[in-house]
Amino acid sequence: MQSDSLREYTTLENAGLLEQLQEFQTKTHDYEELISQSLEMFTKTSEGDLVAYLSGCLVQRFIPSYLVVFLHQDETSKKIKNICFQNLRPASCPVKLLDFEPYREYFGDIPTAVSFAQMEDDVPEYADALRPLMPDIIIPLNGLTGLYGFVVLGRKVLDDDYTPDEQTYIQMLFNYASIGLQNVIHYTSSVTDFKTRLYNHSFFMRRLREEMNRVGRYYSSFALLVIDIDNFKKLNDRYGHLAGDRILFNLSRVIEDSVRAEDIVSRYGGEEFLVLLTQCSKRSAYIAAERIRQNTEALETSYHGKDIKITVSIGSTHCTHPLKASPNDLIKEADEALYRAKNGGRNRCELFAPGLLMAANALRNDRHEY
């Protein structure tokens, strides 16, 4: 029996069929791996996480000098976002693209990856802008509305050319990546307020309910802040609504920078904002609110040569076990504290129920810094 098997093996080898069989097995393994990678991509909820995962996929086969994804998501703005990896490590991109339209026009007729040499021949002026990335392969990212981005893959670190098999893998990998990025972009759009780039109200309320459920289950605690810009209507009347929009955007960044990464910041509507401070004591909530107030007081928004300063009033409430009846009850409590802050002179922070110790401290402090 063993000799028969050896004879069959030798026959297959002599006919060249064994090599083909091994090649088919290798390709089958590669396709199975690609399917597994594509499924993993769809679990990513941020562009950065997805691109980082792609870099991990590539390192199993080769290391490109640069992996850069350029994204143009907002049709109302010319701003182009980039996510850059150098030698598969996050890095600052040496290229800043100012206009996306030439690339959209170029890739409109080319739905697949192209070599940088081909781009140089076709549109040398636009290819030249990418030269600092040591580009070798350019891959378009197409969605339902057309091109929304493209990927620049730099030369391999070992300085040899990409093989045909590697080029096929790259094309297929980024076909899946294109779908994954579109999913991430659509998800981000669905939970984000367009004007401020903060979470929208519906997403915030969902997270607030989740946090209340966590309090009920684990006896944890959190705080809720309601923030309102003082005299915002007067600012709009004086400087115009475009200035008001810029103030809203800049204040959004101040609030985000004043809280922890795990906290949730949302636009409530108009000039009001909500902040969910997870795992937070009553005193820590007041300290966070006061930090936001002080950082806002230091903010200057430049508009048509004028520096505009604003202040905010902040109301805060604290949630622990036993639970309030509903998320709206919590917001109502924070609103009542905000109302006291407004009536107390604005540019101040108030807690809904400060407690005896914090109230006693407040009596010794003109600013009510509990």
Side-chain angles (χ1 to χ4, degrees), residues 269-280:
E271 67 274 20
E272 284 193 323
F273 301 84
L274 291 173
V275 181
L276 174 62
L277 301 171
T278 62
Q279 294 293 328
C280 184

Side-chain angles (χ1 to χ4, degrees), residues 14-30:
N14 292 337
L17 296 176
L18 186 61
E19 184 178 348
Q20 290 184 24
L21 182 60
Q22 290 172 336
E23 184 179 341
F24 287 144
Q25 287 176 330
T26 300
K27 287 187 176 181
T28 299
H29 175 267
D30 288 345

Side-chain angles (χ1 to χ4, degrees), residues 98-312:
L98 301 178
D99 191 356
F100 193 77
E101 286 309 310
Y103 301 96
R104 178 176 280 128
E105 182 178 341
Y106 175 67
F107 284 112
D109 299 324
I110 305 175
T112 59
V114 299
S115 68
F116 181 67
Q118 180 181 337
M119 179 182 270
E120 279 186 305
D121 290 339
D122 296 340
V123 282
E125 65 276 25
Y126 305 134
D128 197 55
L130 304 176
R131 198 174 301 280
L133 302 175
M134 297 181 282
D136 199 323
I137 301 175
I138 318 294
I139 308 123
L141 299 172
N142 293 298
L144 295 175
T145 58
L147 188 82
Y148 66 89
F150 62 91
V151 179
V152 177
L153 213 58
R155 292 194 301 269
K156 290 200 291 190
V157 169
L158 296 180
D159 211 27
D160 52 345
D161 295 331
Y162 291 100
T163 66
D165 284 345
E166 288 173 341
Q167 292 179 28
T168 300
Y169 170 75
I170 289 167
Q171 179 66 64
M172 295 181 70
L173 180 70
F174 281 96
N175 282 344
Y176 289 119
S178 180
I179 300 170
L181 281 166
Q182 278 278 283
N183 289 342
V184 169
I185 291 169
H186 290 156
Y187 171 77
T188 302
S189 298
S190 71
V191 301
T192 303
D193 173 67
F194 174 76
K195 189 169 288 186
T196 62
R197 298 292 188 268
L198 295 174
Y199 288 117
N200 59 30
H201 186 60
S202 61
F203 176 83
F204 184 89
M205 293 301 290
R206 186 161 69 247
R207 282 291 290 110
L208 180 56
R209 292 187 191 95
E210 290 172 359
E211 203 62 30
M212 291 184 72
N213 289 337
R214 187 172 290 110
V215 168
R217 188 177 302 115
Y218 301 112
Y219 288 73
S220 57
S221 64
F222 67 88
L224 176 68
L225 309 182
V226 176
I227 304 169
D228 185 81
I229 302 176
D230 297 326
N231 300 314
F232 188 67
K233 184 179 184 304
K234 291 182 180 178
L235 289 172
N236 270 334
D237 292 342
R238 181 176 180 182
Y239 298 105
H241 287 277
L242 292 179
D245 288 348
R246 186 171 298 180
I247 289 170
L248 288 172
F249 184 84
N250 290 346
L251 176 59
S252 299
R253 306 290 78 74
V254 166
I255 298 173
E256 284 183 323
D257 291 342
S258 301
V259 298
R260 301 164 300 178
E262 62 266 31
D263 298 326
I264 306 296
V265 184
S266 163
R267 187 182 181 196
Y268 191 20
E271 67 274 20
E272 284 193 323
F273 301 84
L274 291 173
V275 181
L276 174 62
L277 301 171
T278 62
Q279 294 293 328
C280 184
S281 68
K282 189 177 292 188
R283 178 169 177 77
S284 295
Y286 189 83
I287 291 172
E290 188 58 18
R291 182 166 57 247
I292 293 170
R293 186 196 67 78
Q294 292 174 2
N295 291 344
T296 301
E297 203 172 26
L299 172 67
E300 286 188 356
T301 297
S302 296
Y303 186 76
H304 288 181
K306 297 178 181 178
D307 291 331
I308 307 171
K309 294 182 70 67
I310 61 170
T311 61
V312 293

Side-chain angles (χ1 to χ4, degrees), residues 221-224 280-282 285 316-320 324 330 333:
S221 64
F222 67 88
L224 176 68
C280 184
S281 68
K282 189 177 292 188
S316 172
T317 189
H318 189 252
C319 181
T320 188
K324 304 294 189 298
L330 278 175
E333 289 181 356

